[in-house]
Amino acid sequence: QRSGLAQANTNLAKAQSDYDRVKPLAEIRAVSQAELDGAVAALDAAKASVDASEASLRLSQINLGYTRIASPITGVIGKSLAQTGEYVGQSPNPVILNTVSKTDSLKVEFFLTENDYLQLARQAIIENQQSDSRELPQPKIQLVLSDNSVFDYEGKFRFINREVDPTTGAILIQTIFPNPRGIVKPGQFAKVRITAPPRPNTIIVPQRAVREFQGQFSVFVLGDSSKVQERPIELGDAYRDYYVVRQGLSNGEQILLEGLLKVRSGQVIDPQMTVFESKVPE
């Protein structure tokens, strides 16, 4: 195509030269009008030939561009699904030649139960009310990999779905983690660990120590002279195999852990002190 354009430009130069030579001769009637008309026609044809050659060259350059494929993003490329010389775009060869993944950051999606979501949301509102910031505080978000190691970088909330899935009772959460060294690859599975901001002076009791009757909760509190007294309490969120107590207990009070069905309020017992150890791993 380039040689054709060069030939067209050569022909144009010759036609322009012939026209420039014939025109002044025609003005003094040294040549016939037919020769001038022929020179004009040849010049116009040469110009049209140049335009056609330039258009053909542009089309060839566009078609040549289709022979090279460039990724629109910088990332890691996978296995190519077609080799050089294969006809692609129709069955049986794939339309997608390859997949490039941007791995400098990770989008991790998971589902959070409705109760866990409410717990985080309430805690975020409480923390926001206690500070002057207009933004909700970010909890600590960690990624636990398949070998139980903790990823070096912490994540942030990127997206929280607008609704809870009524079939599962869970809400979709999307977080983003920096991945500058490209250690984590697309498609890996991991666990997301979310640590809410600490709540100072929070009282928790073992779930097995709490009695429930008609929606009311209570515990047996050990008083003076080893006398137990049933006391109503207001519960908050669940944590592992504990309940958070909002009201009804003070720090340092001792409660009954075993034999709840065998005692009654005001009874004197022979207590054996023990420290409850959670059976739920962190």
Side-chain angles (χ1 to χ4, degrees):
Q1 299 296 336
R2 293 184 183 275
S3 63
L5 178 60
Q7 181 63 42
N9 283 321
T10 300
N11 295 336
L12 175 61
K14 182 179 181 304
Q16 184 70 49
S17 177
D18 292 342
Y19 172 77
D20 293 340
R21 177 175 53 82
V22 171
K23 182 179 180 182
L25 294 176
E27 292 176 351
I28 61 175
R29 300 183 181 278
V31 296
S32 66
Q33 183 65 33
E35 289 187 57
L36 177 61
D37 293 342
V40 172
L43 179 61
D44 291 340
K47 290 181 179 178
S49 178
V50 170
D51 292 340
S53 297
E54 289 178 345
S56 179
L57 177 60
R58 287 195 297 268
L59 179 60
S60 297
Q61 290 174 335
I62 291 174
N63 291 332
L64 179 62
Y66 292 149
T67 65
R68 303 183 64 183
I69 301 174
S71 172
I73 62 173
T74 300
V76 179
I77 194 170
K79 179 183 177 182
S80 295
L81 302 180
Q83 304 302 318
T84 303
E86 293 183 348
Y87 183 75
V88 298
Q90 294 182 356
S91 180
N93 292 320
V95 176
I96 299 177
L97 303 181
N98 210 317
T99 302
V100 178
S101 298
K102 189 176 181 180
T103 59
D104 58 347
S105 62
L106 303 171
K107 288 188 293 185
V108 181
E109 294 184 348
F110 60 95
F111 287 91
L112 202 63
T113 65
E114 186 175 356
N115 290 339
D116 290 339
Y117 165 73
L118 290 174
Q119 180 179 350
L120 284 175
R122 290 194 189 103
Q123 183 62 24
I125 293 174
I126 293 173
E127 293 292 328
N128 187 54
Q129 291 173 346
Q130 294 175 350
S131 66
D132 296 331
S133 174
R134 294 184 178 181
E135 297 182 359
L136 294 180
Q138 284 274 349
K140 185 177 182 180
I141 306 177
Q142 294 177 302
L143 197 64
V144 182
L145 304 179
S146 58
D147 61 353
N148 292 325
S149 63
V150 179
F151 191 48
D152 295 336
Y153 301 91
E154 293 184 8
K156 293 183 178 180
F157 285 121
R158 185 176 186 271
F159 168 78
I160 301 177
N161 200 12
R162 68 177 183 86
E163 62 180 356
V164 175
D165 189 338
T167 59
T168 62
I171 187 170
L172 175 65
I173 308 291
Q174 186 182 92
T175 55
I176 187 166
F177 289 81
N179 188 35
R181 292 183 289 175
I183 294 178
V184 181
K185 301 296 183 182
Q188 282 188 233
F189 288 90
K191 298 178 182 178
V192 177
R193 178 189 294 167
I194 301 178
T195 304
R199 296 190 235 176
N201 303 320
T202 299
I203 297 177
I204 57 175
V205 295
Q207 294 183 5
R208 57 191 288 188
V210 177
R211 296 185 60 184
E212 189 267 335
F213 181 71
Q214 295 183 349
Q216 302 296 319
F217 301 93
S218 64
V219 293
F220 284 105
V221 180
L222 184 65
D224 296 335
S225 303
S226 298
K227 182 183 294 186
V228 293
Q229 188 71 36
E230 188 173 8
R231 184 185 301 175
I233 59 174
E234 181 181 344
L235 297 181
D237 302 314
Y239 167 69
R240 298 168 66 187
D241 47 3
Y242 297 95
Y243 284 126
V244 175
V245 179
R246 293 180 178 174
Q247 292 182 356
L249 282 179
S250 301
N251 189 23
E253 288 188 302
Q254 297 175 332
I255 61 174
L256 191 63
L257 184 62
E258 301 287 351
L260 274 65
L261 299 177
K262 299 179 181 180
V263 299
R264 62 184 183 276
S265 185
Q267 182 178 350
V268 177
I269 64 172
D270 182 16
Q272 295 182 359
M273 301 301 175
T274 183
V275 177
F276 177 78
E277 296 183 359
S278 176
K279 303 298 188 297
V280 178
E282 295 187 9

